């Protein structure tokens, strides 16, 4: 059995994952290889989801042609950020994710939890795809990439342009690449431990 209990600092500095990691809007002109995107997914897929339902689906928008198709779907403030990023990933949720749970969760047949139950599908897809998106941000940082998540886009337009004829629905976008640190604004405040945490 391989050792799986490394401290995070054995592998990737915590600064790279958290303290120095930032949301980027400006990008260095440095490409992201398809091989790196494969390695990214191989890490992301291991993050936990409820009953291992794994509803997240990804579309890596990378070619100039695909970027042009994305452009009219974006809020004006996000256009330059996405157009200058080497990759913009559409983080989508498969609204028929339950068709794969037989393979994903052999111990129990969880399909009846969801099939024909739109509210249960929506809740599980949204919660677990959001979690998987967060794993994507952290995994990208672990691989040396930077992220720029974007909620400012027209979901109906993205779905019509990139997800037509599928059971996938867009949830958010995230630019991926190597950020330009010189263009960062100062870090915004965060809530303190005492404001947020209780120990009971
Ligand atoms: C779900 C989500 C949606 C976001 N949407 C946008 C967006 O549409 N445009 C944008 O410029 N930044 C967007 N952001 C970036 C946040 O404003 C940024 O991550 C936050 O201010 C923290 O910045 P920091 O990581 O540099 O500390 C989004 C972030 C998340 C997680």
């Amino acid at each position: 059995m391989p050792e799986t209990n490394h401290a995070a600092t054995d592998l990737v500095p915590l600064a790279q994952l958290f303290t120095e990691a930032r949301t980027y809007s400006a990008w260095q002109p440095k490409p992201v290889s398809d091989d790196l995107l494969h390695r990214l997914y191989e890490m992301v897929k291991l993050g936990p989801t409820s009953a291992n339902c794994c509803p997240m689906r990804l579309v890596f928008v990378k070619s100039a042609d695909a970027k042009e198709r994305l452009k009219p779907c974006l809020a004006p403030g996000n256009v330059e950020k996405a157009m200058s990023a080497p990759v913009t990933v559409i983080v989508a949720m498969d609204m028929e994710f339950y068709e794969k749970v037989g393979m994903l969760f052999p111990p129990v047949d969880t399909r009846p939890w969801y099939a024909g139950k739109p509210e249960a599908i929506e809740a599980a897809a949204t919660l677990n795809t959001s979690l998987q998106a967060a794993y994507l941000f952290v995994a990208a940082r672990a691989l040396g990439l930077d992220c720029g998540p974007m909620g400012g886009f027209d979901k109906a337009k993205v779905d019509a342009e990139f997800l037509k004829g599928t059971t996938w629905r867009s949830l958010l976008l995230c630019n991926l690449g190597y950020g330009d640190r010189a263009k960062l604004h100062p870090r915004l405040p965060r809530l303190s431990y005492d404001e947020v945490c209780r120990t009971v």
Side-chain angles (χ1 to χ4, degrees):
M1 283 284 282
E3 177 60 69
T4 56
N5 227 3
H6 298 292
T9 46
D10 288 349
L11 302 170
V12 181
L14 290 176
Q16 184 174 324
L17 296 180
F18 297 104
T19 51
E20 297 296 322
R22 294 293 311 276
T23 295
Y24 283 84
S25 298
W27 305 94
Q28 301 174 41
K30 184 176 166 187
V32 173
S33 70
D34 291 341
D35 178 58
L36 189 55
L37 296 176
H38 273 88
R39 287 176 60 205
L40 176 62
Y41 178 68
E42 292 304 313
M43 291 170 53
V44 172
K45 73 179 185 184
L46 299 174
T49 53
S50 60
N52 201 32
C53 64
C54 302
M56 186 187 73
R57 305 290 183 264
L58 301 175
V59 178
F60 293 111
V61 180
K62 203 176 166 189
S63 70
D65 170 60
K67 281 294 194 73
E68 278 305 313
R69 287 165 51 208
L70 183 63
K71 201 172 177 177
C73 309
L74 299 168
N78 286 332
V79 170
E80 182 51 33
K81 296 169 190 181
M83 291 305 110
S84 61
V87 179
T88 304
V89 59
I90 301 169
V91 178
M93 42 194 195
D94 186 352
M95 305 315 284
E96 291 187 6
F97 68 86
Y98 51 85
E99 296 298 354
K100 295 191 192 299
V101 296
M103 178 275 286
L104 290 166
F105 200 67
V108 177
D109 178 14
T110 62
R111 194 177 179 280
W113 298 0
Y114 310 110
K117 296 175 180 161
E119 283 177 20
I121 293 168
E122 185 81 30
T126 307
L127 171 63
N128 289 289
T129 302
S130 301
L131 287 169
Q132 290 187 284
Y135 308 145
L136 175 81
F137 304 158
V138 178
R141 289 168 171 178
L143 288 172
L145 289 165
D146 294 306
C147 301
M150 296 183 298
F153 70 100
D154 187 323
K155 289 184 179 176
K157 281 188 184 167
V158 165
D159 293 359
E161 190 62 40
F162 293 94
L163 308 178
K164 201 171 172 188
T166 75
T167 54
W168 302 9
R169 265 186 22 209
S170 59
L171 181 67
L172 73 146
L173 306 177
C174 183
N175 296 320
L176 295 170
Y178 302 93
D180 182 349
R181 279 200 87 80
K183 303 239 168 73
L184 284 175
H185 57 69
R187 175 88 88 178
L188 294 172
R190 296 297 199 269
L191 302 176
S192 71
Y193 183 94
D194 287 343
E195 287 172 293
V196 169
C197 306
R198 296 278 183 275
T199 302
V200 295

